[in-house]
Amino acid sequence: MKKNYLNEFQINEYKNEGVIILRGLFDDWIDKLQSGFEKVINNPSEHGRDNVKEKNNGSFFEDYCNWQRITEFKDFIENSPAAKIFAEATKSSSVQIFHDHIFSKDPGTTKETPWHQDLPYYCVDGNDTGSFWIPLENVSKENSLKVLKKSHKLNKLVKPTKWSTNKLWYKNNNNFIEIPNINENDKNIFNEDLNRGDAIFFNFKSLHCSPGNKENKPRKAFSVRFIGDDVRYIDRGEETSPPYKNINLHNGQKLRKDWFPVVWSN
Ligand SMILES: O=C(O)CCC(=O)C(=O)O
Ligand SMILES: [Fe+2]
């Protein structure tokens, strides 16, 4: 019998609420992720970008799709408990890596990460999805990611935007809805203090956001995103994020295993 990380309550919670907290499961991996993170900061990919464009307004840097060149990230994706946890939560028989993503918000940066879903930016559709948001140091709830429970059940996707300009991501938004009104005191907002080794695990359709960085240390988070059994390619008609140019797939196809390797299967 292979080890189980989640109990039935957590599996149901993930299905019904679209988000769960994982306490302490990644402690052994944080030093390694930190060293991979620094490598990306010092040598970003072509996708690296700062969402703060004004001078003297701090920095909100992000980069993604680095796991093939950053051995620490590759090791995490292939050997940490993350892919197995994903399989348990989504009851998937096989798990593919979609991408890694890093976020770094400097102290005093007021730029918020707006409420958004990740799926509308992506060239995939499906429900067997999940991202791990793993802060590399303790983060207080006032400074941490918020996730709106049950928002993964919205029947249409929300219009994605470009965070640096707040403009719409796509030119054609016919298939998307406006962001619903979210009351900051909504009881369905998941928001917790996180310690080193904890992670927030959420569906690609779950609405989430984060505040500026009010603490006096950078807020660094490593995120890794997996796809499971029901996920298929979808052509959004325009460049997605990540762009995955020349992917050469048709609507409804499983994602190609040479670009998105299977990292766990039963
Ligand atoms: O760290 C942040 O501010 C944003 C994280 C996020 O949007 C994500 O992990 O999908
Ligand atoms: Fe996101």
Side-chain angles (χ1 to χ4, degrees):
M1 258 307 261
K2 285 183 200 152
K3 180 175 159 59
N4 282 340
Y5 294 97
L6 303 182
N7 57 38
E8 276 309 308
F9 177 83
Q10 289 172 302
I11 294 171
N12 275 327
E13 189 87 347
Y14 191 70
K15 184 170 168 218
N16 296 328
E17 311 293 336
V19 56
I20 53 174
I21 178 97
L22 303 168
R23 295 283 184 199
L25 289 178
F26 299 110
D27 207 12
D28 296 345
W29 289 91
I30 299 299
D31 289 348
K32 193 163 255 185
L33 291 178
Q34 264 162 351
S35 99
F37 201 102
E38 289 317 307
K39 284 188 188 167
V40 179
I41 297 283
N42 293 329
N43 180 19
S45 77
E46 60 182 303
H47 305 297
R49 54 183 178 246
D50 197 326
N51 292 307
V52 177
K53 296 293 178 204
E54 313 85 40
K55 268 202 172 142
N56 306 321
N57 236 342
S59 164
F60 175 22
F61 178 80
E62 58 172 320
D63 199 354
Y64 51 34
C65 303
N66 286 298
W67 69 266
Q68 278 117 328
R69 70 180 178 108
I70 304 291
T71 49
E72 291 86 347
F73 291 177
K74 188 168 192 286
D75 190 12
F76 181 90
I77 287 163
E78 291 174 347
N79 300 313
S80 82
K84 172 72 165 63
I85 293 169
F86 174 94
E88 291 176 19
T90 62
K91 302 194 193 298
S92 286
S93 59
S94 100
V95 180
Q96 286 170 274
I97 174 68
F98 191 48
H99 70 94
D100 58 287
H101 204 150
I102 68 158
F103 301 95
S104 178
K105 239 180 232 193
D106 278 358
T109 303
T110 53
K111 180 92 184 165
E112 296 175 346
T113 306
W115 282 106
H116 68 279
Q117 299 167 309
D118 294 330
L119 192 65
Y121 293 90
Y122 289 161
C123 60
V124 295
D125 198 13
N127 194 52
D128 297 333
T129 64
S131 290
F132 294 80
W133 189 83
I134 306 174
L136 301 184
E137 285 187 50
N138 297 356
V139 45
S140 70
K141 63 196 266 186
E142 292 73 27
N143 225 27
S144 186
L145 197 76
K146 295 179 188 173
V147 185
L148 184 64
K149 292 180 186 174
K150 303 188 202 298
S151 53
H152 65 308
K153 292 186 173 159
L154 281 169
N155 49 19
K156 279 197 149 192
L157 296 177
V158 172
K159 287 179 186 175
T161 61
K162 289 196 172 82
W163 297 351
S164 53
T165 59
N166 298 324
K167 298 220 169 94
L168 290 172
W169 183 272
Y170 296 114
K171 292 192 200 76
N172 178 350
N173 288 282
N174 290 345
N175 293 327
F176 301 115
I177 55 169
E178 296 290 339
I179 182 102
N181 264 333
I182 301 168
N183 177 341
E184 287 300 319
N185 300 317
D186 192 325
K187 287 192 303 300
N188 277 322
I189 297 180
F190 166 100
N191 181 211
E192 302 212 16
D193 295 323
L194 266 74
N195 293 318
R196 186 192 145 105
D198 296 346
I200 303 175
F201 180 51
F202 58 98
N203 188 294
F204 289 179
K205 285 189 257 188
S206 297
L207 281 162
H208 54 286
C209 72
S210 84
N213 183 357
K214 302 172 193 120
E215 287 178 0
N216 57 10
K217 57 184 186 201
R219 189 185 72 218
K220 297 181 187 172
F222 172 77
S223 174
V224 61
R225 312 172 187 287
F226 296 102
I227 51 182
D229 288 355
D230 79 349
V231 172
R232 298 289 186 275
Y233 177 75
I234 185 168
D235 181 355
R236 301 231 181 251
E238 295 177 45
E239 187 166 286
T240 57
S241 173
Y244 291 128
K245 291 197 179 104
N246 306 320
I247 190 167
N248 202 15
L249 292 175
H250 300 294
N251 279 338
Q253 283 186 299
K254 288 275 268 182
L255 288 212
R256 44 193 293 180
K257 293 185 179 144
D258 54 346
W259 286 23
F260 308 95
V262 173
V263 286
W264 188 90
S265 66
N266 64 7

